């Protein structure tokens, strides 16, 4: 059995256990150099936290374990194709690779919005259910100016 199948199997086990524990059917495993660094289960309903997707939970844990915000050199194994939030979190974390088992269409068949959100992101924001707008404020760029003045900033 390949190591990818093993790690995906672990992510699926975490997802099934999450359901049994009142969470959503998603699990994730982060691996670096053949070592499991962190795991995550969907805790959205359990913790009343819409950002507590399995992949995000695993990324947060891995960053704490490794003491860094960058997960370069790591691979994320997920029981399902990451939703747009988890995908962009993975990109921000600089993961080397994402490997998943079930796809967004399987999630949609079980009532999850992954596919709908992928489609929404491709549409004009004026058609979104949530109003998103910019308001001109004179100091809007001050945080960036302050950031740019730092000599010891840590980029990400």
């Amino acid at each position: 059995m390949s190591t990818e199948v093993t790690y995906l199997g672990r992510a699926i086990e975490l997802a099934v256990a999450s359901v049994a524990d009142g969470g959503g059917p998603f699990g994730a495993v982060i691996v670096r150099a053949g070592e499991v660094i962190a795991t995550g289960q969907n805790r959205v309903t359990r913790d009343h936290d819409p950002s507590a997707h399995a992949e995000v939970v695993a990324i947060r844990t891995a960053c704490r374990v490794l003491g860094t915000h960058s997960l370069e050199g790591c691979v994320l194994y997920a029981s399902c194709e990451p939703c747009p939030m988890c995908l962009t979190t993975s990109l921000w974390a600089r993961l080397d690779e994402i490997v998943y088992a079930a796809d967004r269409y399987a999630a949609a068949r079980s009532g999850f919005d992954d596919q709908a959100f992928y489609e929404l992101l491709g549409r004009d924001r004026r058609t979104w259910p949530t109003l998103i707008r910019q308001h001109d404020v004179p100091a809007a760029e001050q945080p960036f100016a302050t950031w740019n003045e730092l000599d010891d900033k840590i980029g990400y």
Side-chain angles (χ1 to χ4, degrees):
M1 184 182 315
S2 77
T3 54
E4 285 192 339
V5 171
T6 300
Y7 295 133
L8 288 171
R10 179 68 180 125
I12 291 167
E13 289 171 1
L14 288 164
V16 171
S18 179
V19 171
D21 196 31
F26 303 95
V29 177
I30 295 179
V31 176
R32 182 177 71 176
E35 178 186 351
V36 173
I37 302 299
T39 63
Q41 293 174 298
N42 182 284
R43 298 175 184 260
V44 171
T45 55
R46 208 175 353 175
D47 294 354
H48 309 292
D49 179 354
S51 70
H53 290 205
E55 298 90 337
V56 173
V57 170
I59 288 168
R60 289 174 180 162
T61 303
C63 288
R64 279 193 303 274
V65 166
L66 296 174
T68 181
H69 62 280
S70 174
L71 296 179
E72 288 183 55
C74 296
V75 177
L76 169 67
Y77 294 92
S79 63
C80 185
E81 180 178 4
C83 73
M85 177 183 70
C86 294
L87 179 60
T88 53
T89 302
S90 297
L91 295 172
W92 276 109
R94 308 295 191 236
L95 285 157
D96 286 5
E97 187 176 5
I98 300 167
V99 182
Y100 61 88
D103 63 20
R104 65 179 86 168
Y105 307 104
R109 286 191 298 274
S110 291
F112 292 93
D113 291 336
D114 301 48
Q115 177 60 27
F117 287 141
Y118 271 106
E119 291 171 2
L120 177 70
L121 291 172
R123 294 194 335 235
D124 185 314
R125 283 186 180 178
R126 292 173 292 186
T127 69
W128 289 16
T130 302
L131 178 64
I132 299 175
R133 62 188 181 91
Q134 182 179 15
H135 188 81
D136 188 27
V137 178
E141 295 190 22
Q142 184 58 47
F144 297 113
T146 303
W147 169 262
N148 289 334
E149 292 171 5
L150 286 178
D151 291 329
D152 60 347
K153 63 182 160 253
I154 299 172
Y156 59 95

